[in-house]
Amino acid sequence: KFGINPLVSYTTRPMRDGEIDGVEHYFISKEEMKEMVDNEFESMIAYTQFPKTGHEYCALDPDPEGIKDGCLSYIINPEGIDWMQLNYKGNNKFFSVYVDCDEDTIRRRALNRGDGVKAIEDRLDSEREQFDKYKKSGKYNFLFDNNGEKYGESMERLIAAIKEFFQ
């Protein structure tokens, strides 16, 4: 609807029920991830590892020909954004969005997609400080309120901010 397609990343985490390899992520082994980090570092736009789970995520610089309307979305944690800002050497511009979502909503969504309670709490425990610190830092281009503001209104404000950024 908004013309922003996802950039499909690589991850070492197990595939969840209902996910399709190459749609949500490319699911790879830790060995394959190490090989990517070692051999494709120059084409990586982002990398992160979750300390509590050890799961790794990365994304490669997309082929400009495959980018519809010059815009892709990629979801990553604050450490991944920091990595991107320090290491990315390509020509693409990045507009970072902090999606503010309360923990009750995060829990409900995770349960609905089949995550276990322990896994959810472990993830929240491992990310809470990182996300709170990043929110306070203001190092993002846009704060998306996913707690009460109407989704459509938030998206309209976001699209307007993205258009202004890339002009």
Side-chain angles (χ1 to χ4, degrees), residues 63-122:
D63 176 0
E65 298 298 317
I67 302 175
K68 180 185 173 197
D69 299 326
C71 190
L72 292 173
S73 67
Y74 179 57
I75 299 171
I76 195 164
N77 66 348
E79 288 179 2
I81 291 173
D82 289 342
W83 190 98
M84 182 187 308
Q85 291 170 342
L86 287 171
N87 296 290
Y88 178 66
K89 306 294 186 236
N91 296 319
N92 291 309
K93 288 176 64 176
F94 294 96
F95 181 89
S96 63
V97 178
Y98 182 90
V99 179
D100 191 24
C101 191
D102 65 78
E103 289 189 3
D104 288 338
T105 301
I106 294 168
R107 282 184 187 96
R108 186 179 66 251
R109 290 176 181 169
L111 286 169
N112 287 342
R113 71 173 180 235
D115 293 358
V117 173
K118 182 172 179 355
I120 295 166
E121 294 306 319
D122 284 350

Side-chain angles (χ1 to χ4, degrees), residues 29-39 56:
S29 68
K30 288 193 173 285
E31 294 76 22
E32 289 171 307
M33 179 66 76
K34 181 180 180 340
E35 188 174 313
M36 285 181 76
V37 171
D38 290 346
N39 298 324
E56 297 170 88

Side-chain angles (χ1 to χ4, degrees), residues 3 19 40 81 92 110 115 118 126 131 133 143 156:
E19 288 183 322
E40 299 190 48
I81 291 173
N92 291 309
D115 293 358
K118 182 172 179 355
S126 73
F131 278 84
K133 182 179 174 184
L143 175 66
E156 287 173 14

